[in-house]
Amino acid sequence: MVILPHITAKSVHALRSPEAKLAEAVGLTRAIALEVVHAEVIKLRSVQVSRLLGSGQIERLAGLVAALEAEVVIIDGPVTPVQQRNLEKLLKAKVIDRTGLILEIFGERASTAEGTLQVELAHLQYQASRLVRSWTHLERQRGGFGFLGGPGESQIEADRRLIRDRIARLRKELEEVRRTRGLHRKQRQKAPWPVVALVGYTNAGKSTLFNRLTGAEVRAEDLLFATLDPTMRAIRLPGHDKVVLSDTVGFVSDLPTQLVAAFRATLEEVLEADLIIHVRDISHPDSDAQAQDVIDVLTSLGLAPGQRETPMITVFNKIDALDAEQRAVVLGQAGDDAIPVSALTGEGLERLQAAMDLTLRAGARVHRITLPMSDGRRLAWLHSHGEVLGEVVGQASDDGSFSIDVRLSDKDKARFDAMN
């Protein structure tokens, strides 16, 4: 059982109400099947350096922990190692901060070898900052690389050394993962297919949209971080015979820096995309704040609007969850800048697919291309990926080749040139 206080102060999380932040923290906690027996917002006038909370607040929380027989107290905010140690002593329960909670969720969700490596690295980097000399000589903060375990090995310096060694090995393994992913991306760049990446706040409906567009069965639930490992599938668009669609991990506010760093190899898939689709849960009261959190993460990757030329389409998802009045307001807000859809019912997907096709073709230029008369494969590809303005220009040459004028984007022209 869990007691979950959300710590708030003036000027913090101005885009969200404390109650909304608390509700999200409850959702994160339930995402790993923990029972929340009490949740509340605690407003601090000042932060106590050694204990975070004031003595009166700690005494009241300790009474709740005892009365409700809670085993874990999750504080939705940053907690220093010293504060965590002192709170655990005073509350007589395990104490986890927001970063530890998110890392715990990612640890449970990781299913591939790469995801497991990335999560373990993030766990160990976080644990390394938690090993302080003031722990008792018989207890270590956590066992394994989760945060809900009991006492473990006691030698703090030995722990530090072992963690450093393990982190070094994991970084080498992840560097190999990054190198392999880079090779795969180079192979995909040689292939004549554009890549579209779905990004968005966790539980915005990315996986449902992915399933609707691809016919796949990626796990999609009303659950924060239901999916973790990225998935790629081929889809067809009106003007493209094949497009690779990538479903990436969902973002969240205050995403731990350890996770952003550890998952960079995965997030680099977004860096190489030809088109980014930002999926927003427009039915959520904090949709604007969630959108800003996504933009903040993209900015850290160098992908925010103005940083790179990668085009982005904004999708207002879950319009089926709106009543008539709310729907009218959202449709008015969307205008030409966003596409309202329902990934659940399929409403608006035709417009989205048309916009994807149009955006992928944007910036196209006319090229005159000469082909052998026998090269039907590349000719068919040009008809599928470009706008053929004139299939035959003049007469076929003596060597059996002919020229056509076709409008292609720069990336499609590069893909065509890479074709054998």
Side-chain angles (χ1 to χ4, degrees):
M1 293 189 294
V2 175
I3 288 180
L4 198 156
H6 167 68
I7 309 300
T8 187
K10 294 179 180 179
S11 77
V12 178
H13 303 303
L15 291 175
R16 286 183 175 86
S17 68
E19 290 73 21
K21 290 288 293 179
L22 179 63
E24 179 180 272
V26 170
L28 288 170
T29 304
R30 289 174 175 161
I32 50 174
L34 293 178
E35 179 190 358
V36 179
V37 295
H38 177 78
E40 67 172 284
V41 175
I42 296 179
K43 296 184 179 180
L44 296 183
R45 294 178 181 173
S46 61
V47 175
Q48 300 297 314
V49 175
S50 62
R51 298 176 304 178
L52 181 64
L53 305 173
S55 56
Q57 292 166 328
I58 290 177
E59 184 177 347
R60 182 176 60 81
L61 279 179
L64 282 172
V65 169
L68 298 173
E69 298 181 347
E71 300 170 357
V72 181
V73 176
I74 298 176
I75 295 179
D76 185 40
V79 179
T80 68
V82 171
Q83 289 170 345
Q84 183 178 16
R85 180 205 66 194
N86 290 334
L87 285 172
E88 287 191 336
K89 287 181 176 179
L90 294 168
L91 299 178
K92 295 181 173 56
K94 302 288 184 184
V95 173
I96 303 174
D97 66 1
R98 182 180 177 86
T99 296
L101 174 61
I102 294 174
L103 289 173
E104 195 73 30
I105 296 170
F106 272 58
E108 184 171 293
R109 294 285 185 272
S111 59
T112 65
E114 177 188 349
T116 302
L117 285 174
Q118 292 173 132
V119 170
E120 184 179 356
L121 175 60
H123 270 299
L124 290 175
Q125 289 173 326
Y126 178 77
Q127 278 191 353
S129 69
R130 305 278 119 177
L131 293 177
V132 292
R133 288 184 179 275
S134 48
W135 293 109
T136 65
H137 73 286
L138 291 178
E139 271 196 357
R140 176 185 171 186
Q141 187 191 7
R142 298 287 177 259
F145 48 86
F147 300 101
L148 303 179
E153 188 181 12
S154 62
Q155 302 166 346
I156 299 298
E157 290 301 326
D159 283 351
R160 286 198 180 114
R161 176 178 53 79
L162 291 171
I163 287 178
R164 282 197 304 267
D165 291 345
R166 180 60 179 160
I167 286 175
R169 287 195 297 271
L170 287 172
R171 282 176 172 161
K172 286 182 180 179
E173 292 182 55
L174 283 172
E175 189 57 39
E176 181 63 24
V177 168
R178 178 177 293 185
R179 189 186 70 83
T180 302
R181 276 192 176 273
L183 292 174
H184 290 169
R185 278 194 295 270
K186 286 182 180 179
Q187 289 299 114
R188 285 200 300 271
Q189 288 166 0
K190 292 180 182 179
W193 308 309
V195 176
V196 177
L198 300 177
V199 301
Y201 205 82
T202 181
N203 212 30
K206 291 186 297 81
S207 294
T208 303
L209 180 61
F210 182 86
N211 290 341
R212 173 68 67 168
L213 291 172
T214 64
E217 296 182 355
V218 172
R219 183 184 183 189
E221 299 180 29
D222 184 13
L223 185 69
L224 298 178
F225 294 118
T227 54
L228 177 57
D229 296 298
T231 308
M232 290 188 172
R233 294 288 189 276
I235 64 171
R236 294 179 65 92
L237 290 179
H240 293 76
D241 61 348
K242 187 173 182 179
V243 171
V244 177
L245 188 65
S246 174
D247 181 19
T248 60
V249 63
F251 300 154
V252 71
S253 64
D254 303 322
L255 190 67
T257 55
Q258 295 96 333
L259 275 177
V260 175
F263 275 78
R264 192 168 185 87
T266 298
L267 295 173
E268 280 177 355
E269 295 292 345
V270 182
L271 291 173
E272 301 300 326
D274 298 275
L275 171 63
I276 297 172
I277 296 181
H278 178 189
V279 182
R280 291 180 53 178
D281 176 1
I282 201 62
S283 69
H284 198 285
D286 289 323
S287 182
D288 290 340
Q290 291 180 351
Q292 186 57 53
D293 288 326
V294 172
I295 295 299
D296 289 344
V297 176
L298 293 177
T299 299
S300 71
L301 296 172
L303 280 171
Q307 289 181 302
R308 285 176 65 95
E309 297 179 358
T310 306
M312 181 185 298
I313 294 175
T314 299
V315 170
F316 284 174
N317 190 29
K318 302 189 182 182
I319 59 170
D320 57 289
L322 304 176
D323 59 33
E325 183 177 349
Q326 292 172 324
R327 189 185 182 95
V329 172
V330 167
L331 292 178
Q333 290 176 341
D336 297 328
D337 298 326
I339 299 175
V341 306
S342 169
L344 191 63
T345 66
E347 181 183 355
L349 290 193
E350 288 187 3
R351 181 184 170 190
L352 172 59
Q353 290 171 321
M356 292 165 64
D357 172 53
L358 184 63
T359 305
L360 288 171
R361 292 177 183 272
R365 295 182 294 170
V366 176
H367 301 271
R368 178 159 292 182
I369 296 173
T370 300
L371 293 171
M373 293 290 291
S374 60
D375 196 350
R377 181 176 67 92
R378 290 202 294 172
L379 177 61
W381 189 92
L382 289 173
H383 275 279
S384 177
H385 290 76
E387 181 184 357
V388 175
L389 305 177
E391 187 167 324
V392 179
V393 180
Q395 299 296 320
S397 62
D398 295 337
D399 62 358
S401 61
F402 65 98
S403 298
I404 65 171
D405 288 338
V406 59
R407 182 177 284 113
L408 290 170
S409 68
D410 290 342
K411 285 191 175 183
D412 277 341
K413 179 59 167 61
R415 290 188 177 96
F416 175 80
D417 292 340
M419 294 176 67
N420 295 324

